[in-house]
Amino acid sequence: MSRISDMLPRHFGPYGGRYVPEMLVPALEELEQGYLKYKDDPEFTAELTDLYQNYCGRPTPLYFAENLTRELGGCKIYLKLEGLAHTGAHKINNALGQALLAKRLGKTKVIAETGAGQHGLASATVAARFGLECKVFMGEVDVRRQYPNVYAMKLLGAEVIPVTDGTKTLKDAVNATLKYWIQNLKDTHYILGSALGPFPYPVMVRDFQSVIGREARTQILEREGRLPNHLVACVGGGSNSIGLFHPFLQDAGIRFHGAEAGGRGPAVGDNAARFGGKPKVGIAQGYKSYFLQDESGQLQDTHSVSAGLDYAGVGPELAWLHDQSVIEFAPITDVQALDAFKRLTRLEGIIPALESSHAVARAIELAPTLPKDEIMIVNISGRGDKDIFITAMELDRENWIAFLENEVRHGK
Amino acid sequence: MENNIDRALANKAGIQLMTHVVAGYPDLDVNADLIRLMASRGVKLIEIQIPFTDPLADGPTIMRANQAALDQGVTPRHCFELCAALSKELPDVAFMFMTYANIPFALGLETFMAKASQSGASGLILPDLSWDESDGDYAGAAREHGLHPIMVISPDTGGPRLDAILSRASGLLYTTLKVGITGAGAGIDQAGVEYVRNLKKKTALPIAAGFGISSPDHVRMLDGLADVAVIGSHIINLMDAQGLGAVDEFLAACART
């Protein structure tokens, strides 16, 4: 083991690691050493900070949700509005960091996987900004249900490649991207979008996303003079949650809540709740963690109304924090998420992404049971514009179909 | 230790063929017929792939075969049974199980190895179970069960990492001829050929070379360089398009090299 490897956590307890075909190892080692070299480099961090402030719009606001707080009648609820970052979600934080690193490593092309499309959009955006050629792999099912983002990615100059393997969702997009990378290692950097996959991605993505928690910490101390009692975030792969939670992990007295996709219910294939039922540890997509799988080790189909949470695995650091009872995970059904989506929109004038609506739904469950003097921060990881084709079909079906038919009939 | 891999590669004349079947694709009966056919054409080394939902190193052909086998309900138990039946019928053939880490991990690594060994297999190929993971140094345990842990490397594997792998490998060393995923190619990469040539200087282990071998000419090119030519996707493509007869003709042509 090289001295360099020992300086970044390759494992979180028994999780994480680098379970990849040998031919990917040199690229991952190059990335590991590159990240280690630049992560604390003053020039690199200054450039990233400048981009965060002047391109991305950071710091994003920490907003006191007065109406929601009053209606729920429990603890004070603050919302960390990552949806106000450029491209509408927290994904841009990581994409900017990795694009800067890719440039430093001399790469001219980037590839990315995407589920809901927000990471693909963020990758296409940074590729346009830095003059990098970009390909985005996206499950065929997700291409269908997230077309606004597909359109935006193409507009930004990225090639969107529909993945028709397996479940045709995020998991298969990850596989397809890794395979493309294996064949194009020399000039291509893989902007992996969540805090998972083979080392060093879980630690690198976490570090880039930790800007969320660092800002929230400063902001809540300024506003309330003390740290929050509760942090709530949705968990698909887990990048927005680990980004919010990580800077608070050393603090005593904070409860961390992860909202998973409970989908249509607990039956196999109806949800993406890795910690619901009997969590099973496995090895797939380059890392060890909890995966939804059958007794033979085959990954199972998943479902969520939210494409971004529709994923069979979960980041290894979150798995380790689950085992230590640091994070309390709970499944949120599609119905609960849609209800939370409507309530936040009506009460606060904020349309959350369907992913973030899961976090809001968990806050709605928790807040009324908590004392009024306690503080909760909910990560609104993205805004709901991208979900309009899902939410309109769910909540305003007839009018929406009439609108679409009219567009098709009269469109040229 | 001597097992069927050692026997197949001892006193060999010319290059050996190593072929690949995805258990359950198109079905287990055809797998058995295909394996018999391979053996009748002198193939002594056969990989039986246990299908997995997320086969990271495999290209489109083998990936589709994996999914089709899973759709039919094929489980690791079926794969052990296939190997057990065929290894009794064909005692000279060295069978190896090839799959991804989560399959043995779900069963328990030790249990998996015991079952593989009991079914008559001689080796294991787990391309995503890296030797430097905390639970990945399974080579010793595999050998205790009479199985060779077949290490897979690529032309980018070098330096101390290659030395570490060589110190753990036994039976044979499997190198890809290109940095990529499985799949029949138009030709053999010269850089891959050079890599195998250099590898021969570093190890006494027999070397199997694969990825992209799709014609008897490719096998001929490797003769005298590698000890074993691995043919995977091309046989599945042939079988799909033209049936077992075409596979038979192809193997016969390769055997004449």
Side-chain angles (χ1 to χ4, degrees), chain A residues 190-208:
Chain A
Y190 176 10
I191 307 183
L192 206 153
S194 199
L196 46 77
F199 172 70
Y201 282 106
V203 59
M204 183 171 70
V205 177
R206 176 202 72 195
D207 290 352
F208 288 137

Side-chain angles (χ1 to χ4, degrees), chain A residues 302-325:
Chain A
T302 52
H303 162 79
S304 170
V305 68
S306 155
L309 301 187
D310 196 357
Y311 179 64
V314 65
E317 189 165 10
L318 293 170
W320 181 226
L321 293 168
H322 162 268
D323 285 7
Q324 297 170 88
S325 302

